[in-house]
């Protein structure tokens, strides 16, 4: 029935759809999202030519579409030409813009604007704000990039003291005299579309109509909700929700005006000026502790990736290379800045190994592209700097095939080991840490059989856990899971207790600071580390010095790891020394808790990455090993995810007064 107020009251509806798949995601995921969400949405839209809306696709997704489904771009061009859609820009690699250097903010935005203009014919005027992470200075960045508006959640406006009835339109904000229009995305619509019947949304919109007709209700949300989210494809397309919704908009077009944000900006004035605080959507603020950058504090792995990305950005920015090479390097860099691996909530991919791996691969590729000629002249490099910005220096050693990043202040361990020929970081590791949602497992899931310890087929698989008791499975690490971590084991330590991070530790070396000295010759680079600490011999504290050396010869895919342990006392000191190696590869032989004895060598083979690692020890060693798996929460439930293999080479002995013991480990890559 026509609404009796259609001649006197009206309202405007603005819709902005955001579509994204992260760099490094599986091709099958891209294809499923395209088939279930992106393509059918546009097909339905074409059947309703009076419906106008805005579409945003990340550059990561556009790259896949351009390669695998190029006809889709022609569809977008056709819709643009008809005036039915406007395209919305963003950062090409879908970064959290406040986390990337300003030069990359401008570069990312311009790269996506250029792609949109070239492939669809539209000069984008708006920008999608990744995860709606807003910081006030972005107004200047966006304005200088030639953009007129962005979209945030209405919760941002609530933090600035605005009520829902006060934000039915857009506001202007400014920074250093640069203005930007900001539209508030309606929570009411985000929770209704597409989950409630179209009539309920129509009724809400009708309630916002006024005689002036200037009000606008903005819907800005993920395109994946329309077909890819669980059970939505059947509801949205097979049962016709989207088609029925568009029909309802058409039937009520006398009072309900559907337009794009740019059309609304041209027709209506702002509601006023506003200054929004740093914010994101409420769930993100909860996960991050109120501020997105807190993820970099909560998760050292996230902070290392972030600072590693900034380090790569500096290398690309400072490289003196031709523009074609520079553009190639920037493309890698922009993919390394994709937001998904840097954070964790119910969404977010920090716990997903393959997304973290993509960050490192793209960082390494960016550096290789930018610095190729310099590295060819001299593959040996040694550098000392505080990469992760914690006030302590790290050390970088490179020899061509390999690059290592050592943290002398964190046990003198290797935080990153890059196989540069593969552009692969094999220490892309995670700690097991207590997450708030783990309480659900302990409190609500009845006892039962644990999931199999080696329940993954490859490093990329995750097992969704339903109605399983994981209480005993939840273990938490007390130190960074790195490469060449030094332990002194106490009596009673076992492979099982080691796998649970519950073994007796009698030394204080694993996380402590080492003094260091860097050395470089024409044929090799090396780092010598030393620390005098305490080892408990029964109840007696004994002073022990550990010397550790990492040495790399030019163009040789090997690391020499040399240990010398010296008794600094005048009494005998029994020792049980272990060197821990966390390797983010998958060899099924070491993906259960186990032990081997009297090893002079060790071979690890990963079929996915086609990498073989070889250890050769100068003294026969024992080996403990286990698969490190995390339990995280996602929209599908609890997931057990393989992160890495943890290996411990260990030796027992007796140190005579003022005497030393030594071992050399050659670690090679093939």
């Amino acid at each position: 029935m026509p609404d009796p107020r259609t001649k006197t009251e009206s309202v405007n509806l603005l819709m902005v759809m955001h579509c994204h798949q992260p760099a490094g995601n599986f091709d099958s995921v891209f294809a499923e999202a395209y088939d279930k969400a992106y393509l059918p949405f546009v097909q339905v839209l074409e059947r309703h030519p009076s419906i106008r809306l805005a579409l945003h696709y990340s550059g990561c997704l556009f790259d896949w579409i351009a390669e695998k489904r190029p006809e889709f771009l022609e569809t977008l061009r056709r819709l643009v030409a008809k005036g039915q859609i406007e395209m919305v820009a963003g950062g090409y690699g879908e970064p959290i813009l406040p986390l990337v250097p300003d030069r990359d903010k401008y570069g990312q935005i311009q790269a996506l604007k250029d792609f949109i203009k070239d492939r669809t014919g539209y000069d984008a005027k708006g920008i999608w704000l990744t995860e709606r992470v807003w910081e006030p200075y972005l107004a200047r960045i966006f304005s200088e990039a030639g953009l007129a508006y962005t979209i945030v959640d209405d919760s941002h406006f609530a933090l600035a003291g605005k009520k829902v009835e006060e934000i039915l339109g857009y506001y202007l904000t400014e920074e250093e005299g640069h203005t930007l229009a900001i539209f508030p995305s309606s929570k009411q619509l985000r929770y209704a579309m597409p989950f409630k019947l179209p009539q309920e949304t129509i009724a809400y919109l009708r309630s916002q109509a006024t005689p002036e007709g200037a009000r606008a209700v903005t819907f800005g949300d993920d395109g994946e909700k329309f077909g890819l989210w669980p059970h939505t494809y059947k509801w949205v397309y097979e049962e016709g929700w989207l088609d029925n919704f568009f029909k309802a908009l058409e039937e009520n077009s006398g009072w309900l005006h559907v337009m794009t944000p740019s059309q609304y900006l041209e027709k209506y004035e702002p509601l006023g000026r506003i200054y929004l605080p740093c914010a994101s959507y409420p769930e993100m603020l909860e996960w991050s502790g109120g501020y997105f950058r807190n993820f970099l504090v909560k998760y050292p792995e996230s902070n290392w990736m972030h600072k590693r990305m900034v380090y790569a950005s500096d290398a690309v920015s400072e490289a003196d290379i031709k523009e074609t090479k520079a553009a190639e390097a920037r493309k890698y860099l922009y993919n390394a800045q994709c937001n998904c691996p840097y954070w964790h909530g119910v969404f977010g991919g920090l716990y997903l190994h393959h997304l973290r791996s993509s960050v490192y691969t793209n960082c390494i590729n960016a550096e290789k592209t930018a610095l190729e000629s310099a590295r060819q002249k001299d593959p040996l490099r040694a550098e000392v700097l505080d990469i992760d910005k914690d006030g302590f220096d790290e050390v970088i050693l490179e020899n061509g095939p390999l690059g290592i990043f050592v943290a002398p202040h964190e046990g003198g361990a290797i935080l990153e080991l890059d196989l540069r020929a593969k552009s692969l970081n094999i220490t892309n590791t995670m700690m097991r840490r207590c997450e708030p949602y783990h309480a659900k497992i302990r409190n609500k899931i009845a006892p039962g059989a644990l999931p199999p310890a080696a329940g993954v087929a490859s490093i990329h698989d995750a097992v969704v856990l339903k109605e399983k008791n994981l209480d005993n499975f939840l273990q938490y690490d007390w130190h960074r899971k790195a490469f060449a971590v030094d332990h002194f084991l106490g009596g009673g330590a076992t492979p099982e207790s080691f796998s649970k991070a519950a073994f007796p530790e009698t030394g204080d070396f694993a996380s402590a600071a080492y003094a260091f000295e860097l050395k470089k010759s024409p044929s090799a680079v090396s780092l010598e580390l030393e620390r005098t600490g305490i080892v408990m011999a029964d109840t007696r504290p004994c002073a022990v010095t550990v010397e550790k050396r990492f040495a790399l010869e030019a163009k040789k895919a090997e690391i020499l790891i040399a240990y010398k342990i010296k008794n600094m006392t005048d009494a005998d000191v029994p020792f049980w020394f272990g060197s821990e190696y966390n390797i983010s590869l998958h060899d099924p032989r070491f993906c259960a808790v186990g032990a081997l004895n009297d090893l002079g060598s060790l071979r690890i083979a990963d079929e996915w990455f086609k990498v073989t690692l070889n250890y050769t020890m100068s003294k026969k060693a024992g080996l403990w090993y286990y698969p490190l798996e995390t339990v995280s929460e996602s929209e599908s439930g609890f997931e057990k995810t393989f992160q890495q293999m943890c290996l411990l080479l260990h030796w027992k002995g007796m140190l005579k007064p003022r005497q030393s013991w030594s071992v050399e480990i050659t670690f090679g890559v093939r």
Side-chain angles (χ1 to χ4, degrees):
M1 291 291 295
D3 189 275
R5 298 172 295 174
T6 55
K7 293 184 179 180
T8 58
E9 295 186 358
S10 63
V11 70
N12 304 284
L13 173 63
L14 318 178
M15 292 182 287
V16 184
M17 308 300 298
H18 155 65
C19 303
H20 166 61
Q21 292 298 319
N25 212 354
F26 304 123
D27 186 79
S28 60
V29 177
F30 278 91
E32 182 183 19
Y34 179 85
D35 292 340
K36 288 187 174 181
Y38 310 142
L39 178 61
F41 186 93
V42 170
Q43 288 174 331
V44 175
L45 180 63
E46 281 201 286
R47 296 201 296 268
H48 298 271
S50 66
I51 302 301
R52 288 173 169 76
L53 50 78
L55 295 174
H56 168 260
Y57 301 88
S58 68
C60 314
L61 178 54
F62 264 144
D63 285 342
W64 185 89
I65 289 171
E67 180 183 357
K68 301 295 179 67
R69 306 290 191 275
E71 66 277 7
F72 187 76
L73 296 173
E74 292 306 312
T75 300
L76 296 181
R77 180 181 287 276
R78 184 168 63 250
L79 290 169
V80 164
K82 293 194 301 182
Q84 192 172 355
I85 65 170
E86 71 167 91
M87 302 301 299
V88 177
Y92 198 95
E94 197 68 10
I96 301 294
L97 284 166
L99 294 192
V100 306
D102 281 359
R103 59 177 175 260
D104 297 331
K105 292 182 181 70
Y106 292 113
Q108 288 246 20
I109 293 168
Q110 192 60 50
L112 191 53
K113 285 184 67 179
D114 289 346
F115 184 98
I116 291 170
K117 180 69 173 177
D118 179 59
R119 305 305 291 268
T120 74
Y122 190 80
D123 187 9
K125 303 172 183 64
I127 181 168
W128 182 262
L129 189 63
T130 302
E131 299 301 331
R132 277 89 84 202
V133 177
W134 170 261
E135 294 190 10
Y137 72 91
L138 290 175
R140 174 181 56 82
I141 301 289
F142 294 167
S143 177
E144 289 179 339
L147 298 164
Y149 73 86
T150 192
I151 302 156
V152 300
D153 284 8
D154 47 9
S155 59
H156 291 62
F157 285 80
L159 293 172
K162 295 295 183 182
K163 299 177 181 179
V164 171
E165 60 268 22
E166 297 178 295
I167 57 173
L168 295 170
Y170 70 93
Y171 280 78
L172 287 182
T173 191
E174 63 83 26
E175 174 77 6
E176 299 180 18
H178 297 274
T179 59
L180 182 77
I182 305 183
F183 288 92
S185 172
S186 166
K187 179 180 179 180
Q188 177 81 19
L189 294 193
R190 293 197 308 275
Y191 278 67
M193 298 168 56
F195 309 112
K196 296 182 179 180
L197 292 171
Q199 291 79 2
E200 296 185 49
T201 297
I202 297 298
Y204 172 72
L205 294 170
R206 182 180 288 121
S207 71
Q208 303 304 316
T210 63
E212 296 79 14
R215 281 183 169 184
V217 182
T218 301
F219 171 79
D221 211 346
D222 298 341
E224 292 78 19
K225 290 172 65 174
F226 296 80
L228 187 61
W229 283 23
H231 314 298
T232 56
Y233 181 81
K234 184 175 187 293
W235 170 247
V236 173
Y237 301 111
E238 292 180 353
E239 298 183 6
W241 183 93
L242 186 60
D243 194 63
N244 291 333
F245 179 64
F246 286 165
K247 286 179 182 178
L249 296 179
E250 292 166 336
E251 291 168 357
N252 291 275
S253 60
W255 62 270
L256 178 52
H257 306 144
V258 183
M259 62 181 68
T260 68
S262 292
Q263 290 172 329
Y264 186 84
L265 282 175
E266 292 175 359
K267 189 172 182 179
Y268 294 101
E269 295 179 349
L271 296 171
R273 186 177 66 252
I274 199 166
Y275 297 93
L276 300 178
C278 297
S280 181
Y281 51 86
E283 295 88 348
M284 180 66 81
L285 295 181
E286 179 183 350
W287 299 328
S288 66
Y291 184 39
F292 188 89
R293 295 180 193 238
N294 284 340
F295 284 118
L296 306 181
V297 177
K298 182 178 181 181
Y299 299 104
E301 297 91 344
S302 175
N303 183 64
W304 181 261
M305 278 193 303
H306 175 255
K307 303 309 185 291
R308 183 70 179 81
M309 172 272 292
V310 174
Y311 179 79
S313 176
D314 290 341
V316 172
S317 175
E318 295 165 7
D320 183 16
I321 52 177
K322 294 181 179 179
E323 176 53 31
T324 53
K325 279 291 184 182
E328 181 184 351
R330 287 194 297 269
K331 186 66 174 292
Y332 287 126
L333 176 64
Y334 295 166
N335 282 334
Q337 293 170 343
C338 180
N339 78 92
C340 303
Y342 290 94
W343 59 278
H344 173 63
V346 174
F347 302 105
L350 179 63
Y351 278 100
L352 297 180
H353 176 278
H354 64 286
L355 296 187
R356 299 196 312 272
S357 183
S358 176
V359 170
Y360 290 112
T361 293
N362 281 295
C363 282
I364 296 167
N365 281 334
E367 292 166 351
K368 286 167 60 175
T369 304
L371 305 173
E372 181 179 12
S373 59
R375 293 291 187 268
Q376 287 176 345
K377 293 178 182 177
D378 183 7
L380 289 174
R381 191 167 73 93
E383 186 176 3
V384 178
L385 75 163
D386 180 11
I387 295 179
D388 57 3
K389 307 306 176 188
D390 63 352
F392 300 96
D393 283 335
E394 285 76 41
V395 180
I396 305 172
L397 301 179
E398 289 183 7
N399 69 344
L402 303 177
I404 65 173
F405 296 72
V406 184
H409 65 289
E410 289 193 67
I414 295 174
L415 299 184
E416 180 174 341
L417 198 171
D418 295 337
L419 312 184
R420 301 190 68 81
K422 287 274 187 180
S423 298
L424 177 66
N425 170 21
I426 67 165
T427 52
N428 170 23
T429 62
M430 282 290 290
M431 290 175 62
R432 297 167 295 185
R433 54 173 52 80
C434 183
E435 296 285 2
Y437 49 75
H438 286 171
K440 300 177 186 178
I441 296 174
R442 293 195 174 93
N443 297 336
K444 297 184 179 180
I445 300 180
L450 295 179
V456 290
S458 81
I459 196 167
H460 297 294
D461 291 337
V463 178
V464 178
L465 308 166
K466 296 179 180 178
E467 299 179 1
K468 298 283 189 181
N469 177 16
L470 298 179
D471 190 22
N472 293 328
F473 183 76
L474 294 176
Q475 311 296 336
Y476 304 122
D477 296 304
W478 54 270
H479 66 84
R480 189 83 167 263
K481 302 301 284 185
F483 190 90
V485 180
D486 305 336
H487 294 286
F488 285 88
L489 308 175
T494 64
E496 289 73 20
S497 64
F498 180 66
S499 72
K500 296 178 180 179
F503 62 97
E505 176 83 49
T506 64
D508 60 355
F509 292 82
S511 301
Y514 280 61
F516 68 92
E517 182 180 0
L518 192 61
K519 294 185 177 181
K520 182 179 179 182
S521 71
S523 60
V525 289
S526 65
L527 177 65
E528 297 182 354
L529 302 122
E530 181 177 326
R531 180 176 189 275
T532 299
I534 297 297
V535 173
M536 298 298 296
D538 296 323
T539 60
R540 175 170 51 94
C542 302
V544 169
T545 295
V546 173
E547 297 177 6
K548 178 163 57 174
R549 181 165 65 95
F550 300 118
L552 287 77
E553 295 183 24
K555 300 182 179 180
K556 196 171 184 180
E558 285 185 357
I559 307 172
L560 175 64
I561 306 168
Y563 282 104
K564 179 184 286 187
I565 302 172
K566 186 175 182 181
N567 179 0
M568 306 302 290
T569 74
D570 294 321
D572 289 350
V573 176
F575 72 92
W576 189 359
F577 176 71
S579 184
E580 176 184 342
Y581 300 87
N582 289 278
I583 302 170
S584 55
L585 300 177
H586 187 273
D587 185 328
R589 295 176 302 156
F590 302 105
C591 284
V593 178
L596 295 171
N597 297 313
D598 297 323
L599 295 179
S601 62
L602 174 65
R603 178 179 178 272
I604 297 167
D606 180 279
E607 291 300 321
W608 181 277
F609 291 112
K610 307 299 181 186
V611 171
T612 300
L613 311 178
N614 293 291
Y615 286 86
T616 304
M617 290 73 77
S618 63
K619 288 183 171 69
K620 287 192 174 182
L623 173 70
W624 292 349
Y625 53 86
Y626 69 92
L628 190 146
E629 295 162 310
T630 56
V631 176
S632 56
E633 188 176 27
S634 74
E635 67 273 21
S636 301
F638 290 104
E639 292 182 349
K640 183 184 70 168
T641 306
F642 179 90
Q643 299 292 349
Q644 67 238 26
M645 298 181 298
C646 183
L647 312 174
L648 182 77
L649 296 172
H650 58 95
W651 301 262
K652 284 184 177 180
M654 178 70 71
L655 286 171
K656 294 296 183 181
R658 306 293 172 178
Q659 297 300 304
S660 61
W661 172 93
S662 62
V663 65
E664 290 188 349
I665 305 163
T666 301
F667 174 82
V669 181
R670 182 169 60 84

